[in-house]
Amino acid sequence: MVTLQDAAASCACLKARKAARAVTRAYDRALRPSGLRVTQLNILGAAGVAGGAPLGKLASILGMERTTLTRNLQLIEREGLIKVVNVDGRTRNVMLTEAGNKRLTQALPLWENAQNELRRKLGARDWTAVQGALTTLARIAL
């Protein structure tokens, strides 16, 4: 039978969440001058790439629950960075506004600096390994 200590030491969920919080803090620090958090930057980027995607599709692209995405959209919508457009009674599309595109463009170099700093700290080989492991973990955990 597994002990509580063994479970805590080997829990993939605990380790992934701890790493996610630490990485999020690193990106958020780097993005602070832009006024965006990394979660907001990811939403703006996905909305820009998807070009007016329905809310459900955008949630899927980001790997988020629809309700979580809806909560996260509220602040950036109030700031005028995105626009949520009712297509019909059931479908709402998320569109990047001109202001959102401008903020995203300003924030990308800050994001790139954070990305490069983490890559430098890990080293090229470990960076590639972590990228592959995270992609695989997200795929198989579904």
Side-chain angles (χ1 to χ4, degrees), residues 67-130:
T67 55
T68 303
L69 177 58
T70 299
R71 280 193 310 273
N72 283 298
L73 288 173
Q74 290 173 350
L75 178 62
I76 56 178
E77 185 177 20
R78 278 194 303 262
E79 289 186 42
L81 304 178
I82 54 122
K83 186 175 184 179
V84 179
V85 179
N86 286 320
V87 176
D88 58 38
R90 296 177 38 158
T91 305
R92 297 182 313 153
N93 285 359
V94 180
M95 302 175 69
L96 189 63
T97 65
E98 187 176 323
N101 189 51
K102 183 176 179 183
R103 181 84 67 91
L104 183 58
T105 299
Q106 292 169 342
L108 280 175
L110 301 171
W111 170 87
E112 185 177 26
N113 289 342
Q115 183 94 342
N116 288 339
E117 180 65 10
L118 289 175
R119 184 182 291 129
R120 183 191 65 74
K121 286 178 177 179
L122 270 177
R125 195 172 91 220
D126 285 346
W127 177 262
T128 300
V130 165

Side-chain angles (χ1 to χ4, degrees), residues 29-72:
R29 274 193 309 271
L31 290 169
R32 194 169 291 134
S34 74
L36 292 174
R37 299 178 67 87
V38 72
T39 51
Q40 295 167 329
L41 177 94
N42 290 335
I43 292 168
L44 293 176
V49 169
L55 194 61
K57 181 177 179 183
L58 191 60
S60 178
I61 289 168
L62 291 164
M64 298 173 83
E65 296 291 326
R66 262 182 80 121
T67 55
T68 303
L69 177 58
T70 299
R71 280 193 310 273
N72 283 298

